[in-house]
Short mmCIF file of all heavy atoms in Angstrom, two decimals:
data_model
loop_
_atom_site.label_atom_id
_atom_site.label_comp_id
_atom_site.label_asym_id
_atom_site.label_seq_id
_atom_site.Cartn_x
_atom_site.Cartn_y
_atom_site.Cartn_z
N SER P 32 -25.78 -8.57 -73.79
CA SER P 32 -25.96 -7.75 -72.59
C SER P 32 -27.40 -7.30 -72.40
O SER P 32 -27.76 -6.79 -71.35
CB SER P 32 -25.03 -6.54 -72.64
OG SER P 32 -25.37 -5.68 -73.71
N TYR P 33 -28.24 -7.51 -73.41
CA TYR P 33 -29.64 -7.09 -73.35
C TYR P 33 -30.60 -8.22 -73.00
O TYR P 33 -31.82 -8.03 -73.03
CB TYR P 33 -30.07 -6.49 -74.69
CG TYR P 33 -29.37 -5.22 -75.09
CD1 TYR P 33 -29.64 -4.64 -76.33
CD2 TYR P 33 -28.46 -4.59 -74.26
CE1 TYR P 33 -29.02 -3.47 -76.72
CE2 TYR P 33 -27.83 -3.42 -74.64
CZ TYR P 33 -28.11 -2.86 -75.88
OH TYR P 33 -27.48 -1.71 -76.27
N ALA P 35 -32.13 -11.10 -70.39
CA ALA P 35 -32.28 -11.45 -68.98
C ALA P 35 -33.29 -12.58 -68.82
O ALA P 35 -34.11 -12.83 -69.71
CB ALA P 35 -32.72 -10.23 -68.17
N TYR P 37 -36.03 -14.40 -65.82
CA TYR P 37 -36.75 -14.22 -64.56
C TYR P 37 -37.44 -15.52 -64.18
O TYR P 37 -37.82 -16.31 -65.04
CB TYR P 37 -37.82 -13.13 -64.69
CG TYR P 37 -37.27 -11.78 -65.06
CD1 TYR P 37 -37.02 -11.46 -66.39
CD2 TYR P 37 -36.98 -10.82 -64.09
CE1 TYR P 37 -36.50 -10.23 -66.74
CE2 TYR P 37 -36.47 -9.58 -64.44
CZ TYR P 37 -36.23 -9.30 -65.76
OH TYR P 37 -35.72 -8.07 -66.11
N GLN P 39 -40.83 -16.81 -61.90
CA GLN P 39 -42.05 -16.34 -61.25
C GLN P 39 -42.80 -17.52 -60.65
O GLN P 39 -43.14 -18.47 -61.35
CB GLN P 39 -42.96 -15.59 -62.22
CG GLN P 39 -44.15 -14.95 -61.53
CD GLN P 39 -45.05 -14.17 -62.47
OE1 GLN P 39 -45.20 -14.51 -63.63
NE2 GLN P 39 -45.66 -13.10 -61.96
N GLN P 43 -46.64 -14.45 -56.97
CA GLN P 43 -45.48 -13.61 -56.67
C GLN P 43 -45.05 -12.80 -57.88
O GLN P 43 -45.37 -13.15 -59.02
CB GLN P 43 -44.31 -14.48 -56.19
CG GLN P 43 -44.56 -15.22 -54.91
CD GLN P 43 -43.31 -15.98 -54.43
OE1 GLN P 43 -42.19 -15.72 -54.88
NE2 GLN P 43 -43.53 -16.92 -53.51
N ALA P 44 -44.31 -11.74 -57.60
CA ALA P 44 -43.71 -10.96 -58.68
C ALA P 44 -42.54 -11.74 -59.27
O ALA P 44 -41.96 -12.62 -58.62
CB ALA P 44 -43.22 -9.62 -58.14
N PRO P 45 -42.20 -11.45 -60.51
CA PRO P 45 -41.01 -12.08 -61.09
C PRO P 45 -39.76 -11.73 -60.29
O PRO P 45 -39.68 -10.67 -59.66
CB PRO P 45 -40.95 -11.47 -62.50
CG PRO P 45 -42.34 -11.06 -62.80
CD PRO P 45 -42.91 -10.61 -61.48
N LEU P 47 -35.51 -11.56 -60.76
CA LEU P 47 -34.40 -11.58 -61.71
C LEU P 47 -33.44 -12.71 -61.36
O LEU P 47 -32.98 -12.82 -60.22
CB LEU P 47 -33.66 -10.24 -61.68
CG LEU P 47 -32.41 -10.14 -62.56
CD1 LEU P 47 -32.79 -10.16 -64.04
CD2 LEU P 47 -31.62 -8.87 -62.23
N TYR P 50 -28.80 -11.73 -65.88
CA TYR P 50 -28.75 -10.58 -66.78
C TYR P 50 -27.52 -10.71 -67.65
O TYR P 50 -26.60 -11.48 -67.34
CB TYR P 50 -28.76 -9.26 -65.99
CG TYR P 50 -27.53 -9.03 -65.16
CD1 TYR P 50 -26.42 -8.37 -65.68
CD2 TYR P 50 -27.46 -9.48 -63.85
CE1 TYR P 50 -25.28 -8.17 -64.93
CE2 TYR P 50 -26.32 -9.29 -63.08
CZ TYR P 50 -25.24 -8.63 -63.63
OH TYR P 50 -24.11 -8.44 -62.88
N GLY P 51 -27.49 -9.95 -68.73
CA GLY P 51 -26.36 -10.05 -69.63
C GLY P 51 -26.16 -11.45 -70.17
O GLY P 51 -25.03 -11.88 -70.44
N TYR P 88 -39.27 -16.66 -67.56
CA TYR P 88 -39.41 -15.75 -68.69
C TYR P 88 -38.05 -15.21 -69.11
O TYR P 88 -37.21 -14.88 -68.26
CB TYR P 88 -40.29 -14.55 -68.31
CG TYR P 88 -41.73 -14.87 -68.03
CD1 TYR P 88 -42.17 -15.08 -66.73
CD2 TYR P 88 -42.65 -14.96 -69.07
CE1 TYR P 88 -43.50 -15.37 -66.46
CE2 TYR P 88 -43.98 -15.25 -68.81
CZ TYR P 88 -44.40 -15.46 -67.51
OH TYR P 88 -45.72 -15.75 -67.26
N GLN P 90 -36.27 -12.03 -71.35
CA GLN P 90 -36.57 -10.63 -71.64
C GLN P 90 -35.42 -10.03 -72.42
O GLN P 90 -34.26 -10.33 -72.16
CB GLN P 90 -36.78 -9.86 -70.33
CG GLN P 90 -36.73 -8.34 -70.47
CD GLN P 90 -35.50 -7.74 -69.79
OE1 GLN P 90 -35.34 -7.83 -68.58
NE2 GLN P 90 -34.64 -7.08 -70.55
N TYR P 92 -33.94 -6.26 -74.35
CA TYR P 92 -34.04 -4.80 -74.44
C TYR P 92 -33.75 -4.40 -75.88
O TYR P 92 -32.82 -4.91 -76.51
CB TYR P 92 -33.01 -4.16 -73.51
CG TYR P 92 -32.90 -2.66 -73.65
CD1 TYR P 92 -33.73 -1.81 -72.95
CD2 TYR P 92 -31.94 -2.09 -74.50
CE1 TYR P 92 -33.63 -0.44 -73.07
CE2 TYR P 92 -31.84 -0.72 -74.63
CZ TYR P 92 -32.69 0.10 -73.92
OH TYR P 92 -32.59 1.46 -74.04
N SER P 95 -37.40 -0.18 -79.86
CA SER P 95 -38.84 0.02 -79.77
C SER P 95 -39.56 -1.28 -80.09
O SER P 95 -39.51 -1.73 -81.22
CB SER P 95 -39.31 1.12 -80.73
OG SER P 95 -40.71 1.31 -80.61
N PRO P 96 -40.19 -1.89 -79.13
CA PRO P 96 -40.30 -1.44 -77.75
C PRO P 96 -39.00 -1.61 -76.98
O PRO P 96 -38.14 -2.38 -77.37
CB PRO P 96 -41.38 -2.35 -77.19
CG PRO P 96 -41.25 -3.61 -77.97
CD PRO P 96 -40.86 -3.18 -79.34
N ARG P 97 -38.90 -0.86 -75.89
CA ARG P 97 -37.68 -0.94 -75.10
C ARG P 97 -37.48 -2.34 -74.53
O ARG P 97 -36.36 -2.85 -74.49
CB ARG P 97 -37.73 0.07 -73.95
CG ARG P 97 -37.83 1.52 -74.37
CD ARG P 97 -36.50 2.13 -74.71
NE ARG P 97 -36.66 3.56 -74.99
CZ ARG P 97 -36.29 4.53 -74.18
NH1 ARG P 97 -35.72 4.24 -73.02
NH2 ARG P 97 -36.49 5.79 -74.51
N TYR P 98 -38.55 -2.96 -74.05
CA TYR P 98 -38.47 -4.28 -73.43
C TYR P 98 -39.49 -5.22 -74.05
O TYR P 98 -40.60 -4.82 -74.36
CB TYR P 98 -38.71 -4.20 -71.91
CG TYR P 98 -37.56 -3.58 -71.15
CD1 TYR P 98 -37.50 -2.22 -70.96
CD2 TYR P 98 -36.53 -4.37 -70.65
CE1 TYR P 98 -36.44 -1.65 -70.27
CE2 TYR P 98 -35.46 -3.80 -69.97
CZ TYR P 98 -35.43 -2.45 -69.78
OH TYR P 98 -34.38 -1.88 -69.11
N PHE P 100 -40.85 -9.46 -73.46
CA PHE P 100 -40.76 -10.71 -72.71
C PHE P 100 -41.18 -11.87 -73.61
O PHE P 100 -42.04 -11.70 -74.50
CB PHE P 100 -41.68 -10.68 -71.49
CG PHE P 100 -41.23 -9.73 -70.41
CD1 PHE P 100 -41.68 -8.41 -70.40
CD2 PHE P 100 -40.37 -10.14 -69.41
CE1 PHE P 100 -41.28 -7.53 -69.41
CE2 PHE P 100 -39.96 -9.26 -68.41
CZ PHE P 100 -40.41 -7.95 -68.42
N GLY P 101 -40.61 -13.03 -73.33
CA GLY P 101 -41.10 -14.24 -73.97
C GLY P 101 -42.41 -14.67 -73.33
O GLY P 101 -42.86 -14.08 -72.34
N GLN P 102 -43.00 -15.70 -73.87
CA GLN P 102 -44.32 -16.14 -73.39
C GLN P 102 -44.22 -17.05 -72.17
O GLN P 102 -45.24 -17.41 -71.57
CB GLN P 102 -45.10 -16.85 -74.51
CG GLN P 102 -44.79 -18.33 -74.68
CD GLN P 102 -43.53 -18.61 -75.47
OE1 GLN P 102 -42.67 -17.75 -75.66
NE2 GLN P 102 -43.41 -19.84 -75.93
N GLN Z 41 -49.57 -8.23 -66.31
CA GLN Z 41 -49.73 -9.66 -66.54
C GLN Z 41 -51.20 -10.04 -66.40
O GLN Z 41 -51.72 -10.13 -65.28
CB GLN Z 41 -48.88 -10.46 -65.55
CG GLN Z 41 -48.86 -11.94 -65.79
CD GLN Z 41 -47.86 -12.63 -64.88
OE1 GLN Z 41 -47.71 -12.28 -63.70
NE2 GLN Z 41 -47.17 -13.63 -65.42
N LYS Z 45 -51.49 -15.38 -67.94
CA LYS Z 45 -50.76 -15.07 -69.18
C LYS Z 45 -49.36 -14.52 -68.90
O LYS Z 45 -48.93 -14.45 -67.76
CB LYS Z 45 -51.58 -14.09 -70.02
CG LYS Z 45 -52.90 -14.68 -70.49
CD LYS Z 45 -53.59 -13.77 -71.48
CE LYS Z 45 -54.87 -14.40 -71.99
NZ LYS Z 45 -55.56 -13.53 -73.00
N ALA Z 46 -48.69 -14.12 -69.97
CA ALA Z 46 -47.30 -13.70 -69.87
C ALA Z 46 -47.17 -12.24 -69.46
O ALA Z 46 -48.14 -11.48 -69.44
CB ALA Z 46 -46.59 -13.93 -71.21
N LEU Z 47 -45.95 -11.87 -69.16
CA LEU Z 47 -45.63 -10.49 -68.82
C LEU Z 47 -45.64 -9.62 -70.07
O LEU Z 47 -45.23 -10.05 -71.15
CB LEU Z 47 -44.23 -10.43 -68.18
CG LEU Z 47 -44.04 -11.26 -66.92
CD1 LEU Z 47 -42.55 -11.36 -66.59
CD2 LEU Z 47 -44.80 -10.66 -65.75
N TRP Z 49 -44.50 -5.62 -71.11
CA TRP Z 49 -43.93 -4.33 -70.74
C TRP Z 49 -44.81 -3.20 -71.26
O TRP Z 49 -45.27 -3.24 -72.41
CB TRP Z 49 -42.52 -4.18 -71.30
CG TRP Z 49 -41.96 -2.82 -71.06
CD1 TRP Z 49 -41.49 -2.31 -69.88
CD2 TRP Z 49 -41.82 -1.77 -72.01
NE1 TRP Z 49 -41.06 -1.01 -70.05
CE2 TRP Z 49 -41.26 -0.66 -71.35
CE3 TRP Z 49 -42.13 -1.65 -73.37
CZ2 TRP Z 49 -40.99 0.55 -71.99
CZ3 TRP Z 49 -41.86 -0.45 -74.02
CH2 TRP Z 49 -41.30 0.63 -73.33
N LEU Z 52 -41.75 3.08 -69.33
CA LEU Z 52 -40.53 3.24 -68.54
C LEU Z 52 -40.19 4.71 -68.47
O LEU Z 52 -40.39 5.45 -69.44
CB LEU Z 52 -39.41 2.47 -69.24
CG LEU Z 52 -38.01 2.53 -68.66
CD1 LEU Z 52 -37.96 1.82 -67.33
CD2 LEU Z 52 -37.03 1.89 -69.62
N TYR Z 54 -36.91 7.27 -66.96
CA TYR Z 54 -35.57 7.32 -66.37
C TYR Z 54 -35.38 8.60 -65.55
O TYR Z 54 -36.18 9.54 -65.63
CB TYR Z 54 -34.51 7.27 -67.47
CG TYR Z 54 -34.31 5.91 -68.07
CD1 TYR Z 54 -34.79 5.62 -69.35
CD2 TYR Z 54 -33.66 4.90 -67.38
CE1 TYR Z 54 -34.61 4.37 -69.92
CE2 TYR Z 54 -33.48 3.64 -67.94
CZ TYR Z 54 -33.95 3.39 -69.21
OH TYR Z 54 -33.76 2.15 -69.75
N ASP Z 58 -36.20 10.71 -69.61
CA ASP Z 58 -36.37 9.91 -70.83
C ASP Z 58 -37.50 8.91 -70.59
O ASP Z 58 -37.58 8.32 -69.51
CB ASP Z 58 -35.07 9.18 -71.15
CG ASP Z 58 -35.18 8.32 -72.40
OD1 ASP Z 58 -35.99 8.65 -73.29
OD2 ASP Z 58 -34.44 7.32 -72.48
N LYS Z 59 -38.38 8.74 -71.59
CA LYS Z 59 -39.53 7.85 -71.44
C LYS Z 59 -39.63 6.91 -72.63
O LYS Z 59 -39.17 7.21 -73.73
CB LYS Z 59 -40.82 8.69 -71.35
CG LYS Z 59 -40.83 9.68 -70.21
CD LYS Z 59 -42.04 10.61 -70.31
CE LYS Z 59 -41.94 11.69 -69.23
NZ LYS Z 59 -43.05 12.67 -69.33
N PRO Z 63 -45.30 0.23 -78.09
CA PRO Z 63 -45.88 0.78 -79.32
C PRO Z 63 -47.37 0.51 -79.46
O PRO Z 63 -48.11 1.35 -79.97
CB PRO Z 63 -45.09 0.07 -80.43
CG PRO Z 63 -43.79 -0.28 -79.79
CD PRO Z 63 -44.13 -0.62 -78.37
N TYR Z 96 -47.44 -4.37 -62.36
CA TYR Z 96 -46.23 -4.28 -61.55
C TYR Z 96 -45.43 -3.04 -61.93
O TYR Z 96 -45.35 -2.67 -63.11
CB TYR Z 96 -45.32 -5.47 -61.80
CG TYR Z 96 -45.85 -6.83 -61.44
CD1 TYR Z 96 -46.39 -7.67 -62.40
CD2 TYR Z 96 -45.76 -7.31 -60.13
CE1 TYR Z 96 -46.85 -8.94 -62.07
CE2 TYR Z 96 -46.21 -8.57 -59.79
CZ TYR Z 96 -46.76 -9.38 -60.77
OH TYR Z 96 -47.20 -10.64 -60.44
N THR Z 100 -35.09 -0.43 -62.66
CA THR Z 100 -34.03 -0.82 -63.58
C THR Z 100 -32.82 0.08 -63.35
O THR Z 100 -32.94 1.30 -63.42
CB THR Z 100 -34.50 -0.80 -65.04
OG1 THR Z 100 -33.41 -1.16 -65.90
CG2 THR Z 100 -35.03 0.57 -65.47
N HIS Z 103 -26.72 0.24 -65.59
CA HIS Z 103 -25.63 -0.69 -65.31
C HIS Z 103 -24.78 -0.82 -66.56
O HIS Z 103 -25.16 -1.47 -67.53
CB HIS Z 103 -26.20 -2.04 -64.89
CG HIS Z 103 -25.16 -3.07 -64.61
ND1 HIS Z 103 -25.46 -4.38 -64.29
CD2 HIS Z 103 -23.80 -3.00 -64.61
CE1 HIS Z 103 -24.35 -5.05 -64.11
NE2 HIS Z 103 -23.32 -4.25 -64.30
N CYS Z 109 -23.53 -2.17 -71.67
CA CYS Z 109 -24.61 -1.76 -70.76
C CYS Z 109 -25.64 -2.88 -70.68
O CYS Z 109 -25.92 -3.55 -71.67
CB CYS Z 109 -25.25 -0.47 -71.23
SG CYS Z 109 -24.18 0.97 -71.04
N TYR Z 110 -26.20 -3.05 -69.49
CA TYR Z 110 -27.11 -4.15 -69.22
C TYR Z 110 -28.48 -3.60 -68.85
O TYR Z 110 -28.57 -2.60 -68.12
CB TYR Z 110 -26.56 -5.01 -68.08
CG TYR Z 110 -25.19 -5.55 -68.37
CD1 TYR Z 110 -24.06 -4.82 -68.04
CD2 TYR Z 110 -25.03 -6.78 -69.00
CE1 TYR Z 110 -22.79 -5.30 -68.32
CE2 TYR Z 110 -23.77 -7.26 -69.28
CZ TYR Z 110 -22.65 -6.52 -68.95
OH TYR Z 110 -21.41 -6.99 -69.24
N TYR Z 111 -29.52 -4.26 -69.35
CA TYR Z 111 -30.86 -3.75 -69.15
C TYR Z 111 -31.75 -4.85 -68.59
O TYR Z 111 -31.95 -5.89 -69.23
CB TYR Z 111 -31.43 -3.23 -70.46
CG TYR Z 111 -30.63 -2.08 -71.02
CD1 TYR Z 111 -29.54 -2.30 -71.86
CD2 TYR Z 111 -30.95 -0.76 -70.69
CE1 TYR Z 111 -28.79 -1.24 -72.34
CE2 TYR Z 111 -30.21 0.29 -71.18
CZ TYR Z 111 -29.13 0.06 -72.00
OH TYR Z 111 -28.40 1.10 -72.48
N TYR Z 112 -32.29 -4.63 -67.39
CA TYR Z 112 -33.10 -5.62 -66.71
C TYR Z 112 -33.83 -4.94 -65.56
O TYR Z 112 -33.52 -3.81 -65.20
CB TYR Z 112 -32.22 -6.75 -66.17
CG TYR Z 112 -31.04 -6.26 -65.35
CD1 TYR Z 112 -31.18 -5.99 -64.00
CD2 TYR Z 112 -29.80 -6.08 -65.93
CE1 TYR Z 112 -30.11 -5.53 -63.25
CE2 TYR Z 112 -28.71 -5.62 -65.19
CZ TYR Z 112 -28.86 -5.35 -63.86
OH TYR Z 112 -27.81 -4.89 -63.12
N PHE Z 113 -34.79 -5.65 -65.00
CA PHE Z 113 -35.53 -5.17 -63.83
C PHE Z 113 -35.12 -6.01 -62.63
O PHE Z 113 -35.38 -7.21 -62.59
CB PHE Z 113 -37.04 -5.28 -64.06
CG PHE Z 113 -37.54 -4.41 -65.19
CD1 PHE Z 113 -37.81 -4.96 -66.44
CD2 PHE Z 113 -37.72 -3.06 -65.01
CE1 PHE Z 113 -38.26 -4.16 -67.47
CE2 PHE Z 113 -38.16 -2.24 -66.03
CZ PHE Z 113 -38.43 -2.79 -67.28
N TRP Z 116 -38.90 -5.61 -57.99
CA TRP Z 116 -40.29 -5.50 -58.43
C TRP Z 116 -41.20 -5.22 -57.24
O TRP Z 116 -40.93 -5.66 -56.12
CB TRP Z 116 -40.75 -6.80 -59.08
CG TRP Z 116 -40.05 -7.16 -60.34
CD1 TRP Z 116 -38.72 -7.44 -60.51
CD2 TRP Z 116 -40.64 -7.31 -61.64
NE1 TRP Z 116 -38.44 -7.75 -61.82
CE2 TRP Z 116 -39.62 -7.69 -62.53
CE3 TRP Z 116 -41.94 -7.19 -62.12
CZ2 TRP Z 116 -39.85 -7.92 -63.89
CZ3 TRP Z 116 -42.19 -7.43 -63.46
CH2 TRP Z 116 -41.15 -7.79 -64.34
N GLY Z 117 -42.28 -4.51 -57.50
CA GLY Z 117 -43.33 -4.39 -56.50
C GLY Z 117 -44.11 -5.68 -56.42
O GLY Z 117 -43.92 -6.60 -57.22
#
Side-chain angles (χ1 to χ4, degrees):
Chain P
S32 65
Y33 296 176
Y37 300 84
Q39 187 179 32
Q43 296 184 17
L47 176 69
Y50 66 90
Y88 294 96
Q90 164 248 296
Y92 172 86
S95 181
R97 298 277 185 106
Y98 288 88
F100 291 91
Q102 85 279 16
Chain Z
Q41 186 173 39
K45 296 188 178 182
L47 301 167
W49 174 75
L52 176 68
Y54 285 106
D58 180 27
K59 302 171 186 177
Y96 297 99
T100 178
H103 179 184
C109 289
Y110 303 88
Y111 298 88
Y112 52 85
F113 296 102
W116 295 63

